[in-house]
Amino acid sequence: MSTKESVKMKAYNFVTSIKTAAFVVGSAIIIFAALRNSLTWHAQHFWGASGDLWEEQWRLILHITGEDEFLLYVVGPFLASFIPFWSCSIPLLIMDITKKPNFLYQYKIQQDKNIDLKWKEVRHGILIVLRNQVISFMTICGFYPLMKWRGLVQHGPELPTFQWVLVELCVFVLIEELLFYYAHRLLHHRQVYKRVHKIHHEWTAPICISSIYCHPIEAFFSNYAPVFCGPLVYGSHLSTVYLWVVIATVNTINAHSGYHFPGFPSNEAHDFHHLKFTEMFGVLGILDRLHNTDMHFRASKHYERHQTYFSLTPIKQLVPDPSQNVKQAKCPTDTVETPHTSDGF
């Protein structure tokens, strides 16, 4: 490729990545706003909640903790991650082990993998996850004095406006994408991969607990630090931090669940990353598009299935793979089993 063509390709990828960012973040804002408004309406009309629903819940948290800063700034964010993680993971683990109920198991992306998932494997994974959740607690302990040093300790009873929370969440998402993408690319460097990241890729077909099944170094630099850097930089109200931690936790479980459920954000991209190892390093796909680390993904059937859909029919039936019936040329990544084949990015 000539220099001129290379420049054109980079410019095209940059423009496309900006469009992707606008679409992904914009769609997320619309969906989040709709869910929040719907939940508020139902709470007020059917459960008798007052118009100050969310401020009342926050005041309740302040009352329970006695506004103790350690409970609010360390224990609170940890529980905002720990409780959603296991609430979502336990039902998914039951499905992975029992393959029941069938009407939900049919949404499994790689049904030819983890066929004989044993409790012994799951137990080992759970122990690794619990160790990394201890690291999560230690990470939060480390970020708390940084927030105090910057004068960012905000937990008053008056909540920020919903519009301002949306702005902050958009900033958090973009900061996480930036930090996670490059940290993840570094983890796929030959020397780093074999010492650190290889543990995470023991799951070529991810399951929910594989989201934080990793080396302690990866747990800190790739999983936890990118999440807490946004609030640290922005100086957010603590209630916004709680909300962001819940969203980030649920999102990473969805990305690693191995199930493409109707109405859920597509996790085909990260599932493809676990399957092929060599592409789709980001969360949103923005920087993957910019750096052209999604080339084979965009040429695959997984890309056509990479959508949020609302039919009860599994996406693999709505967008069938013709390779099951017609022999096609092999994808260049089909024979790649490990990503540590070069010394750089």
Side-chain angles (χ1 to χ4, degrees), residues 100-117:
K100 295 177 182 179
N102 184 62
F103 75 93
L104 289 177
Y105 189 77
Q106 65 179 330
Y107 297 106
K108 188 76 172 174
I109 298 174
Q110 299 185 51
Q111 288 191 330
D112 58 331
K113 302 288 181 65
N114 298 331
I115 297 174
D116 296 317
L117 189 62

Side-chain angles (χ1 to χ4, degrees), residues 134-162:
V134 172
I135 295 173
S136 168
F137 185 82
M138 295 169 62
T139 301
I140 299 170
C141 288
F143 270 85
Y144 170 55
L146 290 176
M147 294 181 71
K148 290 197 70 173
W149 174 69
R150 288 207 59 214
L152 303 179
V153 178
Q154 301 180 49
H155 63 263
E158 185 176 345
L159 297 180
T161 65
F162 182 63

Side-chain angles (χ1 to χ4, degrees), residues 184-204 215 218 273-274 276-278 281 337-342:
H184 196 183
R185 286 290 298 274
L186 179 61
L187 288 170
H188 277 264
H189 183 282
R190 177 188 299 176
Q191 298 301 322
V192 181
Y193 178 85
K194 66 183 181 181
R195 292 178 172 84
V196 178
H197 194 46
K198 188 176 182 179
I199 297 173
H200 182 66
H201 276 284
E202 289 175 6
W203 297 94
T204 55
H215 191 283
E218 177 179 349
H273 173 74
H274 275 261
K276 300 297 183 181
F277 292 81
T278 56
F281 300 103
E337 292 297 334
T338 58
H340 46 288
T341 57
S342 66

Side-chain angles (χ1 to χ4, degrees), residues 116-133:
D116 296 317
L117 189 62
K118 305 297 184 182
W119 168 244
K120 184 178 179 180
E121 299 173 286
V122 174
R123 182 179 60 187
H124 173 70
I126 290 174
L127 292 175
I128 297 295
V129 165
L130 290 174
R131 180 200 65 189
N132 288 340
Q133 288 182 322

Side-chain angles (χ1 to χ4, degrees), residues 304-317:
E304 294 184 41
R305 295 171 178 163
H306 188 46
Q307 56 184 275
T308 299
Y309 72 108
F310 299 95
S311 169
L312 294 180
T313 304
I315 189 69
K316 59 180 176 290
Q317 295 179 24

Side-chain angles (χ1 to χ4, degrees), residues 21-37 162-171 173-174 247:
F23 176 77
V24 172
V25 175
S27 299
I29 289 175
I30 293 172
I31 293 172
F32 179 74
L35 289 174
R36 181 260 188 185
N37 292 337
F162 182 63
Q163 294 81 359
W164 184 248
V165 171
L166 288 180
V167 171
E168 290 186 311
L169 290 177
C170 289
V171 174
V173 167
L174 294 176
I247 292 173

Side-chain angles (χ1 to χ4, degrees), residues 262-317:
F264 281 66
S266 173
N267 51 6
E268 296 280 349
H270 198 72
D271 205 274
F272 185 85
H273 173 74
H274 275 261
L275 179 65
K276 300 297 183 181
F277 292 81
T278 56
E279 291 194 343
M280 306 311 299
F281 300 103
V283 178
L284 304 177
I286 298 169
L287 291 175
D288 284 297
R289 192 69 190 90
L290 178 62
H291 293 291
N292 204 31
T293 51
D294 63 351
M295 181 175 61
H296 296 125
F297 174 67
R298 286 184 286 112
S300 72
K301 182 55 60 177
H302 297 266
Y303 182 70
E304 294 184 41
R305 295 171 178 163
H306 188 46
Q307 56 184 275
T308 299
Y309 72 108
F310 299 95
S311 169
L312 294 180
T313 304
I315 189 69
K316 59 180 176 290
Q317 295 179 24

